[in-house]
Amino acid sequence: MYKKYKFAITAHHALIFCENGRKSTNSPEGIRQDGMDFIMSAFVIDRQNINGAKSIIYANDKKTKIFETILKNGQGIIQPDLNSELWHEVTEISQININEVGYRSSVGFDIEVLE
């Protein structure tokens, strides 16, 4: 028999952009946990004219990289967060073509398992 679970899911949109040769980030706090049971730290909607935004998952020591990738449009990572041994970060972005604005649009999901 399967156990039924209820979830509370909060979605949040992030649009980060860079221009005039400046780098940008939506993760100034660096390696972290978000404090939810599960997260999808970023489901990428669109990325244009940028380098960077590498998603990295670390072990509990916050140094050992378990997984890293640059998410493409339509990709995301879901993982356990609160009280897990996983930590995460996303690196900053910079423009490919300095004459055009660069940006990354994503949706994050915070997932709480309800009792």
Side-chain angles (χ1 to χ4, degrees):
M1 201 48 137
Y2 294 102
K3 185 174 180 179
K4 293 183 180 181
Y5 292 92
K6 290 185 179 182
F7 300 94
I9 300 173
T10 302
H12 46 91
H13 178 253
L15 174 63
I16 52 173
F17 66 95
C18 50
E19 59 185 349
N20 302 322
R22 295 186 188 118
K23 294 181 179 183
S24 187
T25 183
N26 69 325
S27 182
E29 64 272 41
I31 301 169
R32 68 191 183 286
Q33 288 184 333
D34 293 347
M36 300 305 291
D37 295 315
F38 296 91
I39 58 165
M40 179 175 286
S41 54
F43 178 82
V44 176
I45 297 168
D46 193 18
R47 54 179 291 139
Q48 293 293 321
N49 189 40
I50 60 166
N51 287 313
K54 184 183 293 183
S55 295
I56 307 171
I57 300 173
Y58 295 90
N60 206 32
D61 64 6
K62 302 179 198 170
K63 295 177 184 167
T64 305
K65 293 180 183 179
I66 295 173
F67 180 76
E68 62 182 283
T69 190
I70 295 177
L71 297 171
K72 298 176 185 170
N73 295 350
Q75 294 180 326
I77 298 172
I78 190 167
Q79 68 184 71
D81 189 61
L82 182 65
N83 299 319
S84 79
E85 294 188 5
L86 301 178
W87 295 74
H88 67 280
E89 75 169 328
V90 63
T91 62
E92 62 191 11
I93 63 171
S94 61
Q95 294 164 270
I96 295 171
N97 179 345
I98 196 122
N99 297 315
E100 297 177 21
V101 172
Y103 66 88
R104 179 177 183 249
S105 176
S106 64
V107 176
F109 296 94
D110 297 332
I111 304 164
E112 181 182 6
V113 180
L114 304 175
E115 296 294 326

